């Protein structure tokens, strides 16, 4: 495994990559600046997880992929990710980071909704993308990996919902890494203008456990006044993939974001989910389920930062750790001075199935305002041997008993995920991990 | 299905290094109902737990056979599949797993792959047994024992007994915490199981339950052994006279485990 965190791409490579993709000039120079910065920026420092031996440099960057003419061309497991009600709806499929299939209903097009891969968005809506790209929500120079992300961006989605438009069917993006070595530098931008609403669902999928690769993902969500975004994700990268993912939202007055995250990677993962409740009366609800297995190491930071008055944030995380997997769960509720009458609640629960499994839940409450409500609950525990005995005493095998207990432990969160497709898929992936 | 026999011989059981059962003998045949009675702390639950394979109990000597099978060699789930059942004094709660899903897993665990019980058939049976036990329909979808009252847990144990139809069942204090109506319902459930193919060991420290389920044999346990056996009339005598006469007869001062005669 490589310990060198310097990537093997130079200015010329980036320049010609950007040119080939016919990007606007601002994007090319943003990439070049990002590359330059990446050389001096420090690596991210996830609390209590050492990542200095993780692979961030071994991957293929520009992997060709053939377009598909219909969904029937997709392999069965990928096709099954397309929610049933999506077949004639709004779908974007990426294959090795290249967009290969796209569908958006006429109705939504007429209403001015943009739902397109980021490459096309840069070509056709360059000014609009520039307005939102790593400006207010994320910054290029947060650390080396955010800069590398900007320099090497090779996939992603741009979703724009104009004022007063309510999109009542989910839009779905599928990121299918067919080539296990293909690196994914995926950038998602969601803009929900005032009084609009939209549900976005993304699925990440890759194969191959022995080959190393990298996924470096950023999602930036702009929730306008009184707008509502429901963001669902099922991450399912294979064992060989190191994942660094940031999903972040800024929410304006009376806006709301709901996160439904099934974080089911098999490889080492650092994941941060952040909501800034900027406007008064803004609201965030973040739900995460995860299962760690094998010798996987993961670090999850889920945070809600209250700036506006009367803002409300709920964090709910349930994680299962099997085998000798280990994970850190940081739950951060931050209430800034001036965010009076805000309410921040968080619950993190971790279940360890095995002596060697490790889980650590850290509730972090940072409150700079007196007139608020805040609460937290965190529990980390081993599977109860008496519970296993009870189930086994009815003839249920140890394996099946563990399966029931894991499903049961995650059920209270999975059942509450606000998107049916994500719920179903989360149960399926759970099944795959416990069998 | 031929009647089965559970045969316990010279059973010694320790927990955390402390010997609780000190040479217990008992034979239960299909068609028979046995009652084991005794004050608290005399080793009754230890006997039940040892038969089922509770992980904390260590068998240091003796044997338990179900027909020709060595029960002590089996994993807990294998014991259940061989035909044993234990209604526990303190059943576990399992969050997120519905009663119905749990029972279906338990039934299917006994069946070959590909021969799982059909959902229709399962629901029909479950509805019927729940009605017999006066359990509301909502119990099927509630999480296993979670938030159940003491009495509801006991009923749920009997529901499992009726759904799983074991050859030999041990019921550990299935009557404690039940009011008289619930006691009647639970007894009705157990009596409905009575057949030549079903043997039962009822553990209790009250005689009350035995007014509704007449035992064939009654055993008194003290100091980790069976110290007296008799017929149903023994239970009646215990009810009216208590345990002191047995202690006197046998010269026992303290009947709990850890005291020597
Ligand atoms: N988990 C345990 N750890 C230590 N001692 C125990 C444990 N469980 C039971 N015992 C001891 O074993 C003896 C018998 O207990 P038990 O079998 O539960 O009695 P009964 O069911 O007859 O009331 C008691 O003296 C009790 O203190
Ligand atoms: Mg007891």
């Amino acid at each position: 495994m490589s310990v060198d965190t310097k990537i093997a791409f130079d200015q010329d490579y980036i320049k010609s990559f950007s040119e080939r993709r016919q990007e606007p000039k601002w994007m090319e120079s943003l990439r070049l600046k990002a590359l330059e910065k990446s050389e001096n920026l420090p690596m991210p420092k996830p609390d209590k997880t050492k990542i200095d031996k993780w692979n961030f440099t071994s991957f293929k960057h520009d992997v060709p992929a053939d377009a598909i003419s219909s969904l029937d061309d997709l392999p069965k497991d990928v096709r099954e990710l397309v929610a049933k009600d999506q077949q004639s709806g709004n779908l974007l499929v990426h294959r090795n980071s290249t967009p290969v299939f796209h569908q958006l209903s006429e109705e939504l097009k007429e209403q001015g909704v943009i739902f397109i891969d980021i490459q096309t968005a840069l070509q056709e809506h360059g000014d609009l993308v520039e307005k939102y790209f790593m400006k207010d929500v994320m910054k290029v120079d947060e650390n080396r990996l955010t800069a590398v992300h900007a320099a090497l961006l090779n996939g992603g989605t741009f979703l724009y919902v104009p004022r007063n438009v309510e999109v009542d069917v989910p839009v779905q993006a599928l990121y299918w890494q067919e080539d296990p070595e293909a690196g994914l530098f995926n950038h998602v931008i969601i803009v929900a203008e005032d009084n609009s609403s939209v549900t976005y669902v993304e699925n990440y999928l890759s194969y191959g456990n022995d080959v190393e690769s990298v996924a470096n993902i950023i999602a930036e969500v702009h929730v306008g006044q009184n707008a509502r975004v429901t963001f669902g994700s099922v991450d399912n990268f294979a064992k060989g993939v190191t994942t660094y993912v940031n999903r972040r939202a800024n929410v304006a007055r009376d806006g709301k974001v709901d996160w439904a995250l099934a974080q089911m990677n098999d490889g080492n993962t650092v994941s941060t989910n952040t909501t800034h409740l900027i406007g008064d009366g803004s609201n965030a609800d973040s739900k995460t389920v995860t299962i760690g297995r094998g010798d996987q190491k993961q670090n999850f930071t889920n945070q809600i930062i209250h700036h506006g008055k009367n803002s409300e944030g709920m964090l709910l995380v349930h994680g299962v750790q099997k085998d000798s997997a280990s994970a850190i769960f940081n739950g951060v509720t931050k209430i800034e001075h001036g965010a009076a009458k805000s309410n921040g609640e968080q619950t993190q629960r971790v279940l360890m199935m095995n002596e060697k499994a490790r889980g650590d839940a850290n509730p972090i409450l940072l409150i700079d305002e007196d007139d608020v409500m805040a609460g937290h609950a965190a529990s980390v525990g081993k599977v109860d041997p008496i519970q296993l005995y009870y189930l086994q005493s009815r003839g249920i095998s140890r394996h099946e008993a563990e399966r029931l207990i894991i499903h049961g432990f995650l059920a209270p969160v999975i059942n509450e995920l606000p998107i049916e497709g994500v719920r179903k898929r989360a149960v399926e992936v759970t099944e795959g991990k416990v069998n | 299905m031929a009647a089965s026999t559970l045969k316990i011989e010279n059973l010694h059981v320790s927990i955390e290094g402390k010997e609780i059962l000190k040479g217990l003998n008992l034979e239960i045949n299909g068609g028979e109902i046995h009652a084991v009675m005794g004050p608290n702390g005399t080793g009754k639950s230890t006997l039940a737990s040892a038969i089922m394979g509770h992980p904390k109990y260590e068998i240091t000597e003796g044997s338990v056979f179900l027909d020709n099978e060595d029960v002590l060699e089996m994993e807990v789930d294998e014991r259940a599949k061989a035909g044993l059942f234990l209604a526990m004094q303190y059943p576990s709660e399992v969050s997120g797993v519905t009663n119905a899903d749990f029972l279906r897993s338990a039934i299917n665990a006994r069946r070959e792959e590909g021969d799982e019980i059909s959902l229709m058939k399962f629901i029909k049976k479950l509805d019927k047994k729940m009605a017999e036990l006066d359990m509301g329909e909502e119990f099927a979808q509630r999480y296993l024992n979670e938030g159940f009252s003491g009495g509801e847990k006991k009923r749920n144990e009997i529901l499992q007994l009726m759904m799983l139809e074991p050859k030999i069942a041990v019921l550990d204090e299935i009557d404690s915490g039940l009011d008289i109506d619930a006691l009647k319902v639970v007894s009705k459930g157990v009596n409905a199981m009575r057949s030549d193919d079903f043997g039962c060991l009822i553990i209790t420290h009250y005689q009350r339950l035995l007014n509704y389920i007449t035992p064939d044999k009654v055993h008194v346990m003290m100091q980790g052994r069976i110290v007296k056996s008799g017929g149903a009339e023994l239970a009646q005598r215990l009810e009216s006279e208590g345990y002191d006469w047995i202690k006197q007869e046998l010269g026992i001062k303290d009947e709990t485990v850890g005291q020597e005669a």
Side-chain angles (χ1 to χ4, degrees):
Chain A
M1 208 180 268
S2 165
V3 289
D4 183 7
T5 55
K6 197 170 170 321
I7 50 162
F9 300 92
D10 60 13
Q11 300 272 331
D12 289 342
Y13 174 85
I14 298 296
K15 222 172 144 75
S16 76
F17 182 72
S18 179
E19 269 164 23
R20 253 183 293 142
R21 292 166 70 96
Q22 299 168 305
E23 290 177 348
K25 264 285 164 229
W26 68 263
M27 184 66 194
E28 185 189 298
S29 64
L30 186 149
R31 283 181 184 275
L32 293 170
K33 258 188 237 140
L35 181 69
E36 200 180 304
K37 281 181 183 163
S38 76
E39 284 162 25
N40 297 314
L41 282 167
M43 287 292 284
K45 289 193 180 57
D47 199 25
K48 296 187 184 164
T49 303
K50 264 172 77 100
I51 62 168
D52 52 350
K53 301 253 159 59
W54 294 15
N55 168 49
F56 288 103
T57 52
S58 167
F59 56 85
K60 291 200 285 195
H61 182 242
D62 193 11
V63 180
D66 295 331
I68 55 165
S69 51
S70 98
L71 291 177
D72 297 335
D73 294 349
L74 293 170
K76 190 165 166 284
D77 60 326
V78 182
R79 202 168 57 231
E80 280 172 357
L81 294 181
V82 180
K84 285 263 183 301
D85 57 343
Q86 278 295 309
Q87 302 225 345
S88 56
N90 314 302
L91 177 68
L92 187 55
V93 179
H94 281 70
R95 181 181 198 172
N96 301 333
S97 77
T98 305
V100 292
F101 185 84
H102 176 236
Q103 227 173 28
L104 177 65
S105 73
E106 285 307 319
E107 191 192 336
L108 292 182
K109 278 185 204 157
E110 277 159 26
Q111 290 178 299
V113 173
I114 302 170
F115 174 58
I116 193 77
D117 67 273
I118 197 120
Q119 184 176 349
T120 309
L122 281 162
Q123 290 164 6
E124 294 177 3
H125 310 278
D127 293 348
L128 197 56
V129 176
E130 187 182 12
K131 213 171 128 190
Y132 298 104
F133 190 89
M134 298 187 94
K135 282 244 161 66
D136 299 333
V137 178
M138 291 285 306
K139 298 266 188 287
V140 170
D141 58 4
E142 292 189 18
N143 59 53
R144 180 174 299 177
L145 294 181
T146 55
V148 167
H149 170 92
L152 295 182
L153 182 149
N154 62 1
T157 296
F158 184 68
L159 171 60
Y160 178 86
V161 185
R163 275 175 75 95
N164 302 328
V165 173
E166 296 193 11
V167 182
D168 49 15
V169 289
V171 302
Q172 184 181 16
L174 245 175
Y175 306 98
W176 162 39
Q177 293 298 90
E178 184 181 30
D179 180 340
E181 285 181 274
L184 181 62
F185 295 81
N186 205 62
H187 198 95
V188 176
I189 295 176
I190 298 174
V191 181
E193 297 280 26
D194 297 353
N195 300 314
S196 71
S197 73
V198 69
T199 296
Y200 165 83
V201 179
E202 59 181 17
N203 297 79
Y204 292 95
L205 182 65
S206 82
Y207 313 90
N209 290 328
D210 312 322
V211 190
E212 292 194 332
S213 189
V214 170
N216 182 332
I217 295 162
I218 289 176
E220 301 187 271
V221 181
H222 302 256
V223 185
Q225 290 189 16
N226 202 37
R228 177 160 187 166
V229 173
T230 305
F231 187 116
S233 183
V234 183
D235 301 356
N236 198 9
F237 284 108
K239 189 166 176 246
V241 179
T242 308
T243 302
Y244 178 66
V245 54
N246 276 287
R247 297 185 179 97
R248 206 180 283 181
N250 282 4
V251 186
R253 188 164 59 81
D254 297 325
K256 179 163 203 264
V257 64
D258 290 287
W259 302 97
L261 309 175
Q263 303 207 263
M264 300 293 190
N265 292 339
D266 279 330
N268 292 347
T269 297
V270 173
S271 164
T272 306
N273 171 227
T274 307
T275 306
H276 286 279
L277 294 172
I278 311 271
D280 294 352
S282 55
N283 189 318
D285 184 309
S286 169
K287 295 194 173 82
T288 297
V289 287
T290 181
I291 301 177
R293 64 172 172 178
D295 56 2
Q296 189 178 10
K297 293 187 172 45
Q298 300 191 93
N299 183 294
F300 299 96
T301 300
N302 293 288
Q303 51 189 352
I304 298 177
I305 298 131
H306 300 249
H307 307 265
K309 292 184 182 53
N310 287 299
S311 56
E312 197 157 319
M314 297 284 163
L315 283 175
L316 177 63
V317 179
H318 278 204
V320 173
Q321 294 297 104
K322 292 179 61 183
D323 309 325
S324 54
S326 69
I328 307 288
F329 297 86
N330 299 309
V332 183
T333 300
K334 187 159 196 262
I335 304 185
E336 302 286 3
H337 184 65
K341 307 248 185 287
S342 289
N343 182 15
E345 301 279 344
Q346 57 161 287
T347 301
Q348 298 189 98
R349 294 188 60 205
V350 184
L351 175 67
M352 292 173 293
M353 301 305 294
N354 190 299
E355 286 299 321
K356 289 195 205 121
R358 288 274 171 280
D360 193 355
N362 307 306
I364 301 158
L365 269 67
L366 306 162
I367 317 272
D368 284 326
E369 171 63 49
D370 296 329
D371 184 15
V372 298
M373 299 220 291
H376 68 92
S379 71
V380 176
K382 284 209 246 330
V383 64
D384 176 5
I386 306 306
Q387 225 177 32
L388 285 170
Y389 162 66
Y390 184 66
L391 295 173
Q392 285 184 265
S393 78
R394 296 335 186 208
I396 295 170
S397 69
R398 163 104 191 191
H399 184 79
E400 174 70 5
E402 289 187 1
R403 197 185 75 86
L404 286 172
I405 288 171
I406 292 174
H407 276 291
F409 181 78
L410 298 179
V413 186
I414 291 181
N415 293 343
E416 293 301 313
L417 297 179
I419 306 162
E420 197 192 351
V422 176
R423 250 184 340 259
K424 281 191 183 148
R425 184 66 196 149
V427 171
E428 272 170 31
V429 181
T430 301
E431 190 56 39
K433 287 213 180 206
V434 294
N435 250 335
Chain B
M1 192 164 61
S4 291
T5 299
L6 182 72
K7 194 166 185 182
I8 301 164
E9 280 184 315
N10 188 32
L11 190 65
H12 290 251
V13 179
S14 295
I15 179 159
E16 282 156 19
K18 177 179 159 198
E19 183 161 73
I20 309 288
L21 294 192
K22 298 165 179 168
L24 186 140
N25 298 289
L26 188 61
E27 185 174 320
I28 301 163
N29 297 301
E32 295 173 356
I33 293 196
H34 291 238
V36 165
M37 302 185 67
N40 273 332
T42 52
K44 302 184 301 296
S45 289
T46 302
L47 170 63
S49 303
I51 293 171
M52 206 66 230
H54 188 295
K56 277 207 170 154
Y57 294 80
E58 191 197 347
I59 318 291
T60 53
E61 215 183 312
S63 68
V64 179
F65 273 80
L66 180 62
D67 300 324
N68 296 321
E69 293 186 274
D70 185 347
V71 170
L72 301 180
E73 286 295 310
M74 297 182 205
E75 297 294 330
V76 176
D77 56 317
E78 291 168 345
R79 297 180 193 202
K81 286 194 273 190
L84 292 176
F85 181 89
L86 169 59
M88 298 196 192
Q89 188 173 1
Y90 304 109
S92 290
E93 303 189 2
V94 185
S95 186
V97 178
T98 64
N99 235 349
D101 283 348
F102 158 64
L103 276 168
R104 203 140 73 96
S105 289
I107 288 176
N108 285 332
R110 279 144 232 272
R111 302 167 69 114
E112 294 296 316
E113 228 180 291
D115 184 39
E116 285 84 4
I117 188 168
S118 78
L119 190 57
M120 285 286 287
K121 218 169 149 189
F122 171 74
I123 290 174
K124 240 175 111 179
K125 183 169 182 181
L126 183 60
D127 284 351
K128 182 162 169 271
K129 303 296 177 193
M130 290 206 322
E132 282 179 45
L133 291 170
D134 277 352
M135 293 174 80
E137 276 172 35
E138 71 278 7
F139 277 93
Q141 289 314 314
R142 280 182 64 180
Y143 292 155
L144 179 52
N145 293 329
E146 193 178 59
F148 284 27
S149 69
E152 286 168 346
K153 282 183 182 164
K154 302 287 174 179
R155 269 182 220 224
N156 208 31
E157 293 293 287
I158 299 304
L159 176 67
Q160 294 170 40
L161 169 73
M162 295 171 82
M163 291 296 287
L164 299 176
E165 302 175 30
K167 293 175 182 161
I168 303 281
V170 180
L171 313 181
D172 191 3
E173 302 227 8
I174 202 68
D175 50 340
S176 61
L178 292 187
D179 62 28
I180 197 77
D181 290 333
L183 192 69
K184 283 182 187 166
V185 168
V186 161
S187 305
K188 198 175 86 184
V190 175
N191 284 325
M193 295 288 296
R194 271 197 135 144
S195 83
D196 288 347
D197 297 330
F198 177 67
C200 189
L201 175 63
I202 294 174
I203 294 174
T204 178
H205 63 259
Y206 304 109
Q207 189 267 341
R208 203 172 60 140
L209 177 66
L210 306 178
N211 291 334
Y212 300 97
I213 310 171
T214 313
D216 300 295
K217 295 210 173 109
V218 174
H219 312 276
V220 177
M221 215 166 146
M222 288 185 183
Q223 297 177 334
R225 284 189 202 93
I226 287 172
V227 295
K228 195 166 188 68
S229 296
E233 75 290 344
L234 177 55
Q236 252 128 42
R237 185 160 177 208
L238 292 171
E239 172 72 359
S240 51
E241 297 178 33
Y243 290 99
D244 284 351
W245 62 276
I246 298 183
K247 285 161 63 178
Q248 265 165 26
E249 209 175 279
L250 300 172
I252 295 171
K253 277 212 180 64
D254 184 338
E255 70 282 7
T256 57
V257 172
Q259 316 299 319
E260 288 309 320

